[in-house]
């Protein structure tokens, strides 16, 4: 695992250097093409730089040896003239402009842009040695960074640590033996989360996630959702592709997140998505989220089809995300228009599936894990075909995390 992760790290470093070099060439070319417009989106430039420099690679086991040719930049970007005024703001006009087939001379069999989205969701896996196992009743339920663990040491009636002089490799953190019911554990750990507060665990939602070793297994206790990645527990969610068929073509309803969201404000999103809270079944959660996020009545949402799952593991500082997303498809009537009910979505737009694929390939406009769910949709509906180089590698990479 460590050797594989090191190889991935070296590859990512090489790609990053290539992208930096390409950006230095792209920015003047874009300025020349756009008549010197000074406020081009750095996110867009960065995304496009990736498209022109990246070599194909397996999800994480090892690098592929086949490289792709670097294209000329000036002609490719002559229609990409303006975008948002900063890294975090873009409009539907920007989305539509970059999505069109004529905007960039893409090869449909070129999967490099999809690989970037897999990589974004699976960062720094070489850093797993910085985490201690979190064990309950002899089951590993999570991983806690050694640095974050120092915040927990003073709560001696809640957490038990390995001896100070022990070798931390292979060591684990457990809950105090006096906490032997899920209610006691939920209360005790919840009090710790409140004590640590926003300084150490930002974005507290007062929403509980079940702590378990695998989906459907016994629940040891429930944990504040915002704290889930700090304890490295498995988190589960549902994401639904809402699509329409018109004149033999498929379209996806895409949401644009509210600018008031604390996470990924203003970015593109699935029509419906949500975490899986304690005590709620996947299908019931889909129906609930459909009503809240898109105004889809249960008479329609109840026929959403479960089509599988994607998974990923991502390390970001003290946070270790180990997420599994259950995927659903729902074919909607042509006459239906979604309407957000909870204030979390700014607006919706119906976009041809191939244009959505272009957005994923060319930009970082989507909330990262949404890209995985849509890539899975593209596989299942025949938009990514076995003739594409790296087909099986990309398919396998959609379940890079522990899908259990």
């Amino acid at each position: 695992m460590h050797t594989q992760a090191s190889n991935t790290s070296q590859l990512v470093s090489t790609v990053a250097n290539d992208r930096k070099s390409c950006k230095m060439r792209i920015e003047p070319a874009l300025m020349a093409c756009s008549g010197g417009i000074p406020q081009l989106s750095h996110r867009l430039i960065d995304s496009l730089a990736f498209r022109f420099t990246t070599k194909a690679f397996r999800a994480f086991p090892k690098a592929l040896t086949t490289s792709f040719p670097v294209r000329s930049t000036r002609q490719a970007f002559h229609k990409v003239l303006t975008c948002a005024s900063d890294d975090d703001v873009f409009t539907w006009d920007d989305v539509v402009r970059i999505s069109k087939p004529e905007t960039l001379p893409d090869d449909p069999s070129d999967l490099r842009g999809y690989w970037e989205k897999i990589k974004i969701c699976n960062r720094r896996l070489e850093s797993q040695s910085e985490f201690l196992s979190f064990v309950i009743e002899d089951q590993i339920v999570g991983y806690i960074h050694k640095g974050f663990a120092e915040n927990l040491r003073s709560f001696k009636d809640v957490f038990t640590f390995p001896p100070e002089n022990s070798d931390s490799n292979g060591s684990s953190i457990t809950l105090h033996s006096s906490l032997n019911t899920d209610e006691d554990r939920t209360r005790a750990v919840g009090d710790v989360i409140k004590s640590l507060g926003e300084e150490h665990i930002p974005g507290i939602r007062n929403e509980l996630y079940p702590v378990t070793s695998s989906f459907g297994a016994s629940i040891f206790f429930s944990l504040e959702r915002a704290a889930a990645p700090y304890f490295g527990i498995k988190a589960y969610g549902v994401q639904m592709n809402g699509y329409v068929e018109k004149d033999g073509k498929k379209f996806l309803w895409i949401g644009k997140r509210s600018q008031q969201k604390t996470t990924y404000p203003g970015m593109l999103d699935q029509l419906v998505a949500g975490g899986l809270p304690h005590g709620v079944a996947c299908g019931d959660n889909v129906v609930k989220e459909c009503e809240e996020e898109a105004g889809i009545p249960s008479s329609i949402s109840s026929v959403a089809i479960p089509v599988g799952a994607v998974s990923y593991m991502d390390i970001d500082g003290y946070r270790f995300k180990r997420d599994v997303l259950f995927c659903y498809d729902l074919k909607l009537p042509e006459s239906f228009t979604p309407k957000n009910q909870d204030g979390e979505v700014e607006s919706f737009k119906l976009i041809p599936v191939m244009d959505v694929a272009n957005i994923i390939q060319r930009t970082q406009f989507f909330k990262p894990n949404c890209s995985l769910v849509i890539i899975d949709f593209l596989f299942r509906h025949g938009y990514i075909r076995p003739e594409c180089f790296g087909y099986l590698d990309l398919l396998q990479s959609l379940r890079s995390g522990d899908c259990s």
Side-chain angles (χ1 to χ4, degrees):
M1 169 71 77
H2 180 72
T3 301
Q4 294 170 353
S6 297
N7 291 340
T8 300
S9 178
Q10 293 172 3
L11 178 63
V12 169
S13 177
T14 301
V15 170
N17 289 335
D18 288 346
R19 291 174 70 187
K20 182 177 180 181
S21 174
C22 188
K23 279 181 70 178
M24 293 174 66
R25 300 193 302 272
I26 288 172
E27 287 177 327
L30 279 170
M31 291 292 287
C33 294
S34 64
I37 295 174
Q39 292 186 321
L40 293 167
S41 167
H42 292 288
R43 173 179 290 163
L44 180 60
I45 292 172
D46 188 62
S47 299
L48 295 173
F50 174 88
R51 297 281 294 121
F52 282 76
T53 59
T54 304
K55 297 179 180 180
F57 61 94
R58 288 181 182 267
F60 297 107
K62 62 182 180 180
L64 293 174
T65 55
T66 303
S67 61
F68 294 87
V70 176
R71 305 167 185 164
S72 168
T73 60
R74 184 174 183 115
Q75 183 178 3
F77 295 115
H78 77 281
K79 290 189 178 179
V80 188
L81 302 182
T82 60
C83 192
S85 59
D86 57 51
D87 286 352
D88 297 318
V89 178
F90 57 86
T91 69
W92 282 120
D93 286 344
D94 302 319
V95 172
V96 170
R97 182 183 299 112
I98 196 62
S99 74
K100 293 305 178 185
E102 62 271 17
T103 302
L104 287 174
D106 282 335
D107 176 356
S109 66
D110 183 352
L111 305 180
R112 287 177 295 175
Y114 300 134
W115 281 113
E116 182 192 34
K117 306 313 180 292
I118 304 295
K119 182 187 69 175
I120 289 172
C121 289
N122 294 272
R123 299 171 298 174
R124 297 194 67 234
L125 298 185
E126 71 277 8
S127 303
Q128 292 182 62
S129 61
E130 299 173 10
F131 290 77
L132 299 171
S133 299
F134 183 29
V135 176
I136 302 177
E137 297 181 10
D138 298 323
Q139 298 288 317
I140 296 177
V141 298
Y143 297 91
I144 302 175
H145 193 278
K146 295 171 186 177
F148 184 79
E150 293 304 309
N151 299 319
L152 308 178
R153 282 192 180 275
S154 60
F155 301 95
K156 299 184 184 299
D157 57 342
V158 179
F159 298 99
T160 300
F161 284 77
E164 292 279 357
N165 57 355
S166 67
D167 181 6
S168 62
N169 292 326
S171 298
S172 61
I173 299 173
T174 64
L175 292 180
H176 195 277
S177 58
S178 65
L179 302 173
N180 51 24
T181 69
D182 59 348
E183 292 86 359
D184 288 343
R185 294 164 180 163
T186 298
R187 174 190 49 77
V189 177
D191 288 343
V192 172
I193 302 304
K194 291 177 183 176
S195 179
L196 294 176
E198 292 280 337
E199 178 183 355
H200 297 289
I201 303 175
I204 292 176
R205 307 184 184 198
N206 297 313
E207 181 181 339
L208 296 178
Y209 270 9
V211 177
T212 180
S213 59
S214 62
F215 187 72
S218 299
I219 297 173
F220 296 110
F221 72 99
S222 298
L223 178 69
E224 159 62 40
R225 176 176 178 174
Y230 292 94
F231 286 82
I233 71 165
K234 282 190 170 181
Y236 300 89
V238 295
Q239 297 218 19
M240 193 191 79
N241 302 291
Y243 71 98
V244 172
E245 287 189 2
K246 294 193 297 185
D247 301 323
K249 291 182 60 177
K250 289 179 181 175
F251 297 72
L252 278 167
W253 277 108
I254 301 298
K256 194 170 190 297
R257 293 164 68 87
S258 167
Q259 291 291 348
Q260 308 309 313
K261 291 281 288 183
T262 56
T263 56
Y264 305 105
M267 295 189 74
L268 302 185
D269 205 336
Q270 229 74 43
L271 174 62
V272 170
L276 190 62
H278 176 52
V280 180
C282 289
D284 293 339
N285 201 34
V286 169
V287 172
K288 177 180 76 71
E289 295 290 346
C290 277
E291 177 62 37
E292 293 177 358
E293 296 195 348
I296 303 174
S298 60
S299 58
I300 295 177
S301 62
S302 60
V303 298
I305 301 173
V307 291
V310 300
S311 63
Y312 55 93
M313 296 192 298
D314 183 68
I315 294 175
D316 180 15
Y318 290 169
R319 296 159 47 88
F320 191 173
K321 289 179 67 66
R322 300 192 301 140
D323 292 357
V324 177
L325 305 177
F326 294 99
C327 304
Y328 286 75
D329 284 355
L330 177 62
K331 184 177 179 180
L332 291 161
E334 285 187 45
S335 59
F336 177 79
T337 300
K339 294 182 176 64
N340 180 245
Q341 308 295 312
D342 60 8
E344 295 190 356
V345 181
E346 178 183 292
S347 55
F348 297 97
K349 195 169 188 66
L350 189 63
I351 302 178
V353 170
M354 280 306 303
D355 289 3
V356 174
N358 289 337
I359 296 165
I360 292 175
Q361 283 263 49
R362 299 168 180 175
T363 78
Q364 294 182 28
F365 288 170
F366 271 97
K367 179 173 173 281
N369 62 6
C370 295
S371 293
L372 305 191
V373 177
I374 295 176
I375 293 170
D376 177 70
F377 180 93
L378 297 175
F379 270 106
R380 292 184 292 99
H381 289 259
Y383 292 91
I384 300 176
R385 306 181 68 83
E387 291 77 14
C388 299
F389 180 73
Y391 177 91
L392 290 178
D393 292 322
L394 183 62
L395 181 64
Q396 184 181 28
S397 75
L398 294 174
R399 280 157 280 278
S400 294
D402 180 4
C403 208
S404 67

